[in-house]
Amino acid sequence: TAGEERYAQSWLDMGFADEVIAMAYERTCLNTGGLSWAYMNKILTRWHEMGLHTLQAVQGADKKPVPKGASGQLGAAELESIRRIMQED
């Protein structure tokens, strides 16, 4: 949707690496039970305000660990959905 595209474009404009967006997606799903664009945007906006744009920076400075049992990896379907949305103009 247009709203989803705006979110994705704003994250790219903020300078986030793909793996950081994927990490925010996984945290969102684990904490909310599914994809919540607003929740994911809050995570990424907070990281942006902290100057965290790479996976290493987030892992080194973010106080909230990945929930126990989380692999830190997304499945192929989730990655493809994110890629598709980010590539749409």
Side-chain angles (χ1 to χ4, degrees):
T1 67
E4 293 168 341
E5 288 179 16
R6 283 191 297 273
Y7 275 129
Q9 188 59 53
S10 73
W11 303 332
L12 294 174
D13 293 344
M14 288 181 206
F16 284 110
D18 291 346
E19 59 268 8
V20 178
I21 295 171
M23 177 186 263
Y25 172 81
E26 181 159 358
R27 287 191 183 187
T28 298
C29 291
L30 290 170
N31 289 322
T32 67
L35 175 58
S36 167
W37 289 93
Y39 189 95
M40 188 169 162
N41 189 59
K42 286 181 184 179
I43 292 171
L44 290 163
T45 298
R46 180 172 42 92
W47 289 346
H48 177 68
E49 290 169 353
M50 295 171 68
L52 309 174
H53 295 93
T54 66
L55 190 61
Q56 294 78 17
V58 170
Q59 290 173 333
D62 191 34
K63 302 293 183 211
K64 186 171 185 176
V66 174
K68 185 176 181 178
S71 67
Q73 300 295 315
L74 297 177
E78 290 87 359
L79 288 171
E80 182 56 32
S81 293
I82 291 171
R83 269 193 214 101
R84 181 179 38 79
I85 290 167
M86 292 174 66
Q87 291 176 351
E88 292 176 355
D89 290 333

